[in-house]
Amino acid sequence: MEPLVQFFYILLPFLRDWPEWLALTVIGIVAALLMFGFVAIFALFAIWLERKVSAHMQDRIGPMEVGGWHGWAQTIADTIKLLVKEDIVPENADRILFKLAPAIVFTAALAGFAVLPWTQDFIPADLNVGLLYILSVSSFAVIGILMGGWASNNKWSLYGAMRSASQMVSYEIPVALALLAVVMNAGTLSMRHLVMAQSGNILDWNVFNFFPLTAVAFIIYFVASLAEVNRTPFDLPEGESELVGGFHTEYSGMRFAFFFLGEYANMYVVSAIATTVFLGGWLPPFEFLSFIPGPIWFVGKAMTMVFIQMWLRWTLPRLRVDQLMYTCWKVLTPFSFAIILLIGLWKVI
Amino acid sequence: MKQYFKNIYEAIATILVGMGVTWRHLFTRAVTVQYPHVKRELPERSRMQLFVDMDDCIGCMQCQRACPVDCIDIKTIRAGKEEDLGEAGNGTKKKLHVVQFYIDMAKCCYCADCVFPCPTGAIRMTPEYEFITYDRSSLLINFSQYSDEERAALEERERKEKEAQAAAKAARLKAAEEAKKTAAAQKDESKSE
Ligand code: SF4
Ligand code: SF4
């Protein structure tokens, strides 16, 4: 039985008396709503954090007014503003595709949450191909972006969408290869088992495995995942300074908000994958810290990764398209192949 | 090949250096001034809203003439002989009723050219800069302390005075004409004799 279903049965024993299909539906809906709620709250918090981080890195202070303490309610106010804004669809846009695109991008991001192992027992779906699943659904987002860019009937949008397609498709490869380096050793694709294989203290985590080979794989994964989720320095698909807003130039109101939500959800998903695969998931770094529950470790590590993403964003300028491709094909991909090869040799010898 | 690895090394090294810089700035003090709550001290002689102290203004119109954009509009009425309007701060005697002193702050370019020629220092720049309004017409400020009735009364008086003067002048002219005529008649008479 799925760990999640068991978890709910333990939590709410009366579910056992219900017919199974009803119980499963209810559990599914509740879990989906939980995830959606988490994404929404995370996005609200992360956008606020990003503004604060960017402000302080530039010696400013960022939002200070709304909500009192350091403007914590600023993003809530912004969300309400976006919710009540007029929903504009350009006259010559392909209406159906235009309206569908943000939904697809967001769904792809949310689908990734299905296999994140928050703790040993709370993992919405413990697929035995969890990692493969997450890689597949996250590359689904490119369809949404391409769709939005194409349907907008706007040159900037189309440029952004084309860039995004080439970028995301190229960077899938180093992402997958870097993860493969770990999977080869662990011998499983299940997110839960990947974490369980790292139990022990901090030195048993995969980053420190085969030192320094997996550490390099971790860096490769991190860089490539930045490109996957269109974050600076790889934010060419959006490129405010050259493409207005890239693929979401024509979007406004709630649809724009969904693109944004999707972007931030994706940030969390890639950080969570890094946490699961390289940084020991819900496990504490030292045995004596295990009184702190797993989800806190998991979210804490993922948030640290998210913070590093922001840190990089406010440090580096945007890459040129040719530099982007150079980094992917001539640096990251060969290095990840070399790492796979070396780890393979290490294991054989 | 060597170049390739050198590039990678340099990329990583410079990124780390850059991250170090941003990390340091994350903890440096922000330079932001939280404007409506905290106000920055203005530099000396900063030029903001104009103010006219009407007790000092003698209505000489120097400021109006100096203004490059014609945003000052003054109207004065001469005081009567027996009237005493008092003195300006520096002892200059006031001889004019300043019944209108408009400054259109919407047109003003804050050059302060009106401030320097003023003989009594009545017009000056204040450090007040928050005078935003919803309506452009409320930027037209009248500094004159005369009410509409007072102004109307003074204008009426001046009109009457002018009329009286004009009448007097006309009378004088007429008299002169008469005199001329009689003189000419006398001349004719003496010629014909
Ligand atoms: S500051 Fe300059 S523009 Fe403004 S009223 Fe004085 S002379 Fe005119
Ligand atoms: S120059 Fe000074 S005294 Fe003369 S009219 Fe202007 S404000 Fe009055």
Side-chain angles (χ1 to χ4, degrees), chain B residues 50 67-69 71-72 108-114 125:
Chain B
L50 277 165
C67 181
V69 293
C71 61
I72 304 182
C108 176
C109 66
Y110 307 94
C111 60
D113 277 359
C114 53
M125 287 289 182

Short mmCIF file of all heavy atoms in Angstrom, two decimals, chain B residues 50 67-69 71-72 108-114 125, ligand 1:
data_model
loop_
_atom_site.label_atom_id
_atom_site.label_comp_id
_atom_site.label_asym_id
_atom_site.label_seq_id
_atom_site.Cartn_x
_atom_site.Cartn_y
_atom_site.Cartn_z
N LEU B 50 7.34 78.80 -2.93
CA LEU B 50 7.58 80.22 -2.67
C LEU B 50 6.66 80.70 -1.56
O LEU B 50 5.55 80.19 -1.39
CB LEU B 50 7.29 81.04 -3.92
CG LEU B 50 8.41 81.10 -4.93
CD1 LEU B 50 7.87 81.61 -6.23
CD2 LEU B 50 9.53 81.97 -4.44
N CYS B 67 10.60 87.49 -13.22
CA CYS B 67 10.21 86.09 -13.45
C CYS B 67 10.29 85.71 -14.92
O CYS B 67 9.68 86.37 -15.75
CB CYS B 67 8.79 85.88 -12.94
SG CYS B 67 8.25 84.19 -13.17
N PRO B 68 11.03 84.68 -15.26
CA PRO B 68 11.19 84.31 -16.66
C PRO B 68 9.94 83.64 -17.26
O PRO B 68 9.83 83.56 -18.47
CB PRO B 68 12.37 83.35 -16.64
CG PRO B 68 12.36 82.78 -15.28
CD PRO B 68 11.84 83.82 -14.37
N VAL B 69 9.06 83.14 -16.44
CA VAL B 69 7.91 82.42 -17.01
C VAL B 69 6.61 83.16 -16.71
O VAL B 69 5.54 82.63 -16.96
CB VAL B 69 7.82 80.98 -16.48
CG1 VAL B 69 8.96 80.16 -16.98
CG2 VAL B 69 7.76 80.96 -14.97
N CYS B 71 4.91 83.95 -14.00
CA CYS B 71 3.92 83.27 -13.18
C CYS B 71 3.51 84.11 -11.99
O CYS B 71 2.69 83.69 -11.19
CB CYS B 71 4.41 81.90 -12.76
SG CYS B 71 5.87 81.92 -11.78
N ILE B 72 4.08 85.31 -11.86
CA ILE B 72 3.65 86.20 -10.78
C ILE B 72 2.75 87.27 -11.39
O ILE B 72 3.06 87.81 -12.45
CB ILE B 72 4.85 86.86 -10.08
CG1 ILE B 72 5.79 85.78 -9.57
CG2 ILE B 72 4.38 87.75 -8.94
CD1 ILE B 72 6.98 86.30 -8.83
N CYS B 108 5.77 77.85 -12.15
CA CYS B 108 7.05 78.24 -11.58
C CYS B 108 8.13 77.21 -11.90
O CYS B 108 7.89 76.01 -11.84
CB CYS B 108 6.90 78.36 -10.06
SG CYS B 108 8.41 78.72 -9.21
N CYS B 109 9.32 77.69 -12.25
CA CYS B 109 10.41 76.75 -12.54
C CYS B 109 11.44 76.76 -11.43
O CYS B 109 12.52 76.24 -11.58
CB CYS B 109 11.04 77.05 -13.88
SG CYS B 109 11.87 78.61 -13.94
N TYR B 110 11.11 77.37 -10.29
CA TYR B 110 11.96 77.34 -9.10
C TYR B 110 13.36 77.87 -9.37
O TYR B 110 14.33 77.33 -8.86
CB TYR B 110 12.02 75.90 -8.54
CG TYR B 110 10.66 75.35 -8.30
CD1 TYR B 110 10.03 74.58 -9.26
CD2 TYR B 110 9.96 75.66 -7.15
CE1 TYR B 110 8.74 74.12 -9.08
CE2 TYR B 110 8.68 75.21 -6.97
CZ TYR B 110 8.08 74.44 -7.93
OH TYR B 110 6.81 74.00 -7.73
N CYS B 111 13.42 78.94 -10.17
CA CYS B 111 14.72 79.50 -10.47
C CYS B 111 15.17 80.47 -9.39
O CYS B 111 16.33 80.83 -9.32
CB CYS B 111 14.70 80.21 -11.81
SG CYS B 111 13.51 81.55 -11.84
N ALA B 112 14.22 80.94 -8.59
CA ALA B 112 14.51 81.90 -7.53
C ALA B 112 14.96 83.26 -8.05
O ALA B 112 15.53 84.03 -7.30
CB ALA B 112 15.52 81.35 -6.53
N ASP B 113 14.71 83.53 -9.31
CA ASP B 113 15.07 84.84 -9.85
C ASP B 113 14.24 85.95 -9.23
O ASP B 113 14.65 87.10 -9.23
CB ASP B 113 14.87 84.87 -11.37
CG ASP B 113 16.06 84.28 -12.08
OD1 ASP B 113 17.02 83.89 -11.39
OD2 ASP B 113 16.04 84.21 -13.32
N CYS B 114 13.06 85.59 -8.74
CA CYS B 114 12.21 86.60 -8.14
C CYS B 114 12.70 86.97 -6.74
O CYS B 114 12.38 88.03 -6.23
CB CYS B 114 10.78 86.10 -8.07
SG CYS B 114 10.66 84.50 -7.27
N MET B 125 12.07 81.57 -0.80
CA MET B 125 11.86 80.14 -0.97
C MET B 125 11.71 79.49 0.41
O MET B 125 12.45 79.82 1.33
CB MET B 125 13.05 79.51 -1.68
CG MET B 125 13.13 79.85 -3.14
SD MET B 125 11.83 79.00 -4.01
CE MET B 125 12.14 79.50 -5.69
S1 SF4 C 1 11.15 81.09 -8.83
FE1 SF4 C 1 11.50 81.82 -10.93
S2 SF4 C 1 9.77 80.97 -12.07
FE2 SF4 C 1 9.20 80.83 -9.92
S3 SF4 C 1 8.10 82.71 -9.51
FE3 SF4 C 1 10.23 83.11 -8.98
S4 SF4 C 1 11.12 83.99 -10.85
FE4 SF4 C 1 9.18 83.03 -11.43
#
